[in-house]
mmCIF file with all atom_site columns, all heavy atoms in Angstrom:
data_model
loop_
_atom_site.group_PDB
_atom_site.id
_atom_site.type_symbol
_atom_site.label_atom_id
_atom_site.label_alt_id
_atom_site.label_comp_id
_atom_site.label_asym_id
_atom_site.label_entity_id
_atom_site.label_seq_id
_atom_site.pdbx_PDB_ins_code
_atom_site.Cartn_x
_atom_site.Cartn_y
_atom_site.Cartn_z
_atom_site.occupancy
_atom_site.B_iso_or_equiv
_atom_site.pdbx_formal_charge
_atom_site.auth_seq_id
_atom_site.auth_comp_id
_atom_site.auth_asym_id
_atom_site.auth_atom_id
_atom_site.pdbx_PDB_model_num
ATOM 1   N N   . ALA A 1 191 ? 237.482 19.122 121.811 1.00 88.00 ? 1686 ALA A N   1
ATOM 2   C CA  . ALA A 1 191 ? 236.689 19.392 123.007 1.00 88.00 ? 1686 ALA A CA  1
ATOM 3   C C   . ALA A 1 191 ? 235.210 19.374 122.635 1.00 88.00 ? 1686 ALA A C   1
ATOM 4   O O   . ALA A 1 191 ? 234.837 18.866 121.575 1.00 88.00 ? 1686 ALA A O   1
ATOM 5   C CB  . ALA A 1 191 ? 237.101 20.731 123.624 1.00 88.00 ? 1686 ALA A CB  1
ATOM 6   N N   . ASN A 1 192 ? 234.378 19.955 123.491 1.00 79.00 ? 1687 ASN A N   1
ATOM 7   C CA  . ASN A 1 192 ? 232.920 20.090 123.348 1.00 79.00 ? 1687 ASN A CA  1
ATOM 8   C C   . ASN A 1 192 ? 232.137 18.943 123.951 1.00 79.00 ? 1687 ASN A C   1
ATOM 9   O O   . ASN A 1 192 ? 230.927 18.932 123.913 1.00 79.00 ? 1687 ASN A O   1
ATOM 10  C CB  . ASN A 1 192 ? 232.478 20.285 121.885 1.00 79.00 ? 1687 ASN A CB  1
ATOM 11  C CG  . ASN A 1 192 ? 232.911 21.611 121.332 1.00 79.00 ? 1687 ASN A CG  1
ATOM 12  O OD1 . ASN A 1 192 ? 233.216 22.539 122.081 1.00 79.00 ? 1687 ASN A OD1 1
ATOM 13  N ND2 . ASN A 1 192 ? 232.971 21.709 120.015 1.00 79.00 ? 1687 ASN A ND2 1
ATOM 14  N N   . GLY A 1 193 ? 232.798 17.957 124.526 1.00 92.00 ? 1688 GLY A N   1
ATOM 15  C CA  . GLY A 1 193 ? 232.085 16.946 125.287 1.00 92.00 ? 1688 GLY A CA  1
ATOM 16  C C   . GLY A 1 193 ? 231.471 15.851 124.448 1.00 92.00 ? 1688 GLY A C   1
ATOM 17  O O   . GLY A 1 193 ? 231.580 15.829 123.220 1.00 92.00 ? 1688 GLY A O   1
ATOM 18  N N   . PRO A 1 194 ? 230.774 14.909 125.119 1.00 97.00 ? 1689 PRO A N   1
ATOM 19  C CA  . PRO A 1 194 ? 230.310 13.691 124.457 1.00 97.00 ? 1689 PRO A CA  1
ATOM 20  C C   . PRO A 1 194 ? 229.144 13.874 123.505 1.00 97.00 ? 1689 PRO A C   1
ATOM 21  O O   . PRO A 1 194 ? 228.789 12.926 122.800 1.00 97.00 ? 1689 PRO A O   1
ATOM 22  C CB  . PRO A 1 194 ? 229.926 12.785 125.625 1.00 97.00 ? 1689 PRO A CB  1
ATOM 23  C CG  . PRO A 1 194 ? 229.636 13.710 126.747 1.00 97.00 ? 1689 PRO A CG  1
ATOM 24  C CD  . PRO A 1 194 ? 230.554 14.869 126.570 1.00 97.00 ? 1689 PRO A CD  1
ATOM 25  N N   . ILE A 1 195 ? 228.508 15.048 123.450 1.00 97.00 ? 1690 ILE A N   1
ATOM 26  C CA  . ILE A 1 195 ? 227.432 15.238 122.477 1.00 97.00 ? 1690 ILE A CA  1
ATOM 27  C C   . ILE A 1 195 ? 228.001 15.588 121.110 1.00 97.00 ? 1690 ILE A C   1
ATOM 28  O O   . ILE A 1 195 ? 227.250 15.710 120.138 1.00 97.00 ? 1690 ILE A O   1
ATOM 29  C CB  . ILE A 1 195 ? 226.435 16.326 122.927 1.00 97.00 ? 1690 ILE A CB  1
ATOM 30  C CG1 . ILE A 1 195 ? 227.090 17.699 122.969 1.00 97.00 ? 1690 ILE A CG1 1
ATOM 31  C CG2 . ILE A 1 195 ? 225.816 15.958 124.265 1.00 97.00 ? 1690 ILE A CG2 1
ATOM 32  C CD1 . ILE A 1 195 ? 226.109 18.838 123.198 1.00 97.00 ? 1690 ILE A CD1 1
ATOM 33  N N   . THR A 1 196 ? 229.318 15.755 121.023 1.00 97.00 ? 1691 THR A N   1
ATOM 34  C CA  . THR A 1 196 ? 229.993 16.112 119.778 1.00 97.00 ? 1691 THR A CA  1
ATOM 35  C C   . THR A 1 196 ? 230.931 14.988 119.368 1.00 97.00 ? 1691 THR A C   1
ATOM 36  O O   . THR A 1 196 ? 231.530 14.321 120.208 1.00 97.00 ? 1691 THR A O   1
ATOM 37  C CB  . THR A 1 196 ? 230.795 17.420 119.966 1.00 97.00 ? 1691 THR A CB  1
ATOM 38  O OG1 . THR A 1 196 ? 229.899 18.454 120.395 1.00 97.00 ? 1691 THR A OG1 1
ATOM 39  C CG2 . THR A 1 196 ? 231.468 17.845 118.669 1.00 97.00 ? 1691 THR A CG2 1
ATOM 40  N N   . ALA A 1 197 ? 231.073 14.805 118.061 1.00 98.00 ? 1692 ALA A N   1
ATOM 41  C CA  . ALA A 1 197 ? 232.011 13.813 117.526 1.00 98.00 ? 1692 ALA A CA  1
ATOM 42  C C   . ALA A 1 197 ? 233.430 14.370 117.628 1.00 98.00 ? 1692 ALA A C   1
ATOM 43  O O   . ALA A 1 197 ? 233.957 14.972 116.701 1.00 98.00 ? 1692 ALA A O   1
ATOM 44  C CB  . ALA A 1 197 ? 231.667 13.493 116.080 1.00 98.00 ? 1692 ALA A CB  1
ATOM 45  N N   . THR A 1 198 ? 234.051 14.154 118.770 1.00 98.00 ? 1693 THR A N   1
ATOM 46  C CA  . THR A 1 198 ? 235.403 14.634 119.014 1.00 98.00 ? 1693 THR A CA  1
ATOM 47  C C   . THR A 1 198 ? 236.428 13.634 118.483 1.00 98.00 ? 1693 THR A C   1
ATOM 48  O O   . THR A 1 198 ? 236.089 12.549 118.017 1.00 98.00 ? 1693 THR A O   1
ATOM 49  C CB  . THR A 1 198 ? 235.642 14.822 120.516 1.00 98.00 ? 1693 THR A CB  1
ATOM 50  O OG1 . THR A 1 198 ? 235.528 13.535 121.155 1.00 98.00 ? 1693 THR A OG1 1
ATOM 51  C CG2 . THR A 1 198 ? 234.631 15.791 121.126 1.00 98.00 ? 1693 THR A CG2 1
ATOM 52  N N   . GLN A 1 199 ? 237.697 14.005 118.591 1.00 98.00 ? 1694 GLN A N   1
ATOM 53  C CA  . GLN A 1 199 ? 238.757 13.084 118.190 1.00 98.00 ? 1694 GLN A CA  1
ATOM 54  C C   . GLN A 1 199 ? 238.713 11.806 119.022 1.00 98.00 ? 1694 GLN A C   1
ATOM 55  O O   . GLN A 1 199 ? 239.007 10.715 118.507 1.00 98.00 ? 1694 GLN A O   1
ATOM 56  C CB  . GLN A 1 199 ? 240.124 13.768 118.313 1.00 98.00 ? 1694 GLN A CB  1
ATOM 57  C CG  . GLN A 1 199 ? 240.378 14.822 117.244 1.00 98.00 ? 1694 GLN A CG  1
ATOM 58  C CD  . GLN A 1 199 ? 241.774 15.417 117.306 1.00 98.00 ? 1694 GLN A CD  1
ATOM 59  O OE1 . GLN A 1 199 ? 242.657 14.870 117.977 1.00 98.00 ? 1694 GLN A OE1 1
ATOM 60  N NE2 . GLN A 1 199 ? 241.987 16.529 116.617 1.00 98.00 ? 1694 GLN A NE2 1
ATOM 61  N N   . ASN A 1 200 ? 238.350 11.901 120.277 1.00 98.00 ? 1695 ASN A N   1
ATOM 62  C CA  . ASN A 1 200 ? 238.248 10.692 121.097 1.00 98.00 ? 1695 ASN A CA  1
ATOM 63  C C   . ASN A 1 200 ? 237.165 9.760  120.565 1.00 98.00 ? 1695 ASN A C   1
ATOM 64  O O   . ASN A 1 200 ? 237.341 8.535  120.525 1.00 98.00 ? 1695 ASN A O   1
ATOM 65  C CB  . ASN A 1 200 ? 237.953 11.066 122.552 1.00 98.00 ? 1695 ASN A CB  1
ATOM 66  C CG  . ASN A 1 200 ? 239.185 11.594 123.271 1.00 98.00 ? 1695 ASN A CG  1
ATOM 67  O OD1 . ASN A 1 200 ? 240.287 11.138 123.031 1.00 98.00 ? 1695 ASN A OD1 1
ATOM 68  N ND2 . ASN A 1 200 ? 238.987 12.559 124.156 1.00 98.00 ? 1695 ASN A ND2 1
ATOM 69  N N   . ALA A 1 201 ? 236.030 10.332 120.138 1.00 98.00 ? 1696 ALA A N   1
ATOM 70  C CA  . ALA A 1 201 ? 234.980 9.512  119.537 1.00 98.00 ? 1696 ALA A CA  1
ATOM 71  C C   . ALA A 1 201 ? 235.476 8.901  118.233 1.00 98.00 ? 1696 ALA A C   1
ATOM 72  O O   . ALA A 1 201 ? 235.192 7.727  117.928 1.00 98.00 ? 1696 ALA A O   1
ATOM 73  C CB  . ALA A 1 201 ? 233.727 10.350 119.300 1.00 98.00 ? 1696 ALA A CB  1
ATOM 74  N N   . GLY A 1 202 ? 236.212 9.680  117.451 1.00 98.00 ? 1697 GLY A N   1
ATOM 75  C CA  . GLY A 1 202 ? 236.761 9.163  116.207 1.00 98.00 ? 1697 GLY A CA  1
ATOM 76  C C   . GLY A 1 202 ? 237.725 8.013  116.434 1.00 98.00 ? 1697 GLY A C   1
ATOM 77  O O   . GLY A 1 202 ? 237.715 7.012  115.700 1.00 98.00 ? 1697 GLY A O   1
ATOM 78  N N   . ARG A 1 203 ? 238.572 8.129  117.452 1.00 98.00 ? 1698 ARG A N   1
ATOM 79  C CA  . ARG A 1 203 ? 239.506 7.041  117.772 1.00 98.00 ? 1698 ARG A CA  1
ATOM 80  C C   . ARG A 1 203 ? 238.763 5.790  118.227 1.00 98.00 ? 1698 ARG A C   1
ATOM 81  O O   . ARG A 1 203 ? 239.159 4.666  117.905 1.00 98.00 ? 1698 ARG A O   1
ATOM 82  C CB  . ARG A 1 203 ? 240.475 7.514  118.852 1.00 98.00 ? 1698 ARG A CB  1
ATOM 83  C CG  . ARG A 1 203 ? 241.409 8.636  118.390 1.00 98.00 ? 1698 ARG A CG  1
ATOM 84  C CD  . ARG A 1 203 ? 242.334 9.074  119.506 1.00 98.00 ? 1698 ARG A CD  1
ATOM 85  N NE  . ARG A 1 203 ? 243.182 10.184 119.075 1.00 98.00 ? 1698 ARG A NE  1
ATOM 86  C CZ  . ARG A 1 203 ? 243.144 11.413 119.583 1.00 98.00 ? 1698 ARG A CZ  1
ATOM 87  N NH1 . ARG A 1 203 ? 242.288 11.693 120.562 1.00 98.00 ? 1698 ARG A NH1 1
ATOM 88  N NH2 . ARG A 1 203 ? 243.956 12.363 119.131 1.00 98.00 ? 1698 ARG A NH2 1
ATOM 89  N N   . MET A 1 204 ? 237.693 5.992  118.984 1.00 98.00 ? 1699 MET A N   1
ATOM 90  C CA  . MET A 1 204 ? 236.905 4.842  119.438 1.00 98.00 ? 1699 MET A CA  1
ATOM 91  C C   . MET A 1 204 ? 236.277 4.121  118.249 1.00 98.00 ? 1699 MET A C   1
ATOM 92  O O   . MET A 1 204 ? 236.305 2.881  118.176 1.00 98.00 ? 1699 MET A O   1
ATOM 93  C CB  . MET A 1 204 ? 235.816 5.335  120.399 1.00 98.00 ? 1699 MET A CB  1
ATOM 94  C CG  . MET A 1 204 ? 235.029 4.243  121.067 1.00 98.00 ? 1699 MET A CG  1
ATOM 95  S SD  . MET A 1 204 ? 235.969 3.378  122.334 1.00 98.00 ? 1699 MET A SD  1
ATOM 96  C CE  . MET A 1 204 ? 234.666 2.393  123.084 1.00 98.00 ? 1699 MET A CE  1
ATOM 97  N N   . LEU A 1 205 ? 235.725 4.877  117.306 1.00 98.00 ? 1700 LEU A N   1
ATOM 98  C CA  . LEU A 1 205 ? 235.124 4.255  116.128 1.00 98.00 ? 1700 LEU A CA  1
ATOM 99  C C   . LEU A 1 205 ? 236.184 3.539  115.297 1.00 98.00 ? 1700 LEU A C   1
ATOM 100 O O   . LEU A 1 205 ? 235.957 2.413  114.822 1.00 98.00 ? 1700 LEU A O   1
ATOM 101 C CB  . LEU A 1 205 ? 234.398 5.303  115.289 1.00 98.00 ? 1700 LEU A CB  1
ATOM 102 C CG  . LEU A 1 205 ? 233.731 4.803  114.010 1.00 98.00 ? 1700 LEU A CG  1
ATOM 103 C CD1 . LEU A 1 205 ? 232.789 3.640  114.282 1.00 98.00 ? 1700 LEU A CD1 1
ATOM 104 C CD2 . LEU A 1 205 ? 232.984 5.940  113.316 1.00 98.00 ? 1700 LEU A CD2 1
#
Side-chain angles (χ1 to χ4, degrees):
N1687 292 340
I1690 66 171
T1691 303
T1693 63
Q1694 288 185 14
N1695 284 324
R1698 294 179 182 115
M1699 187 73 171
L1700 179 54

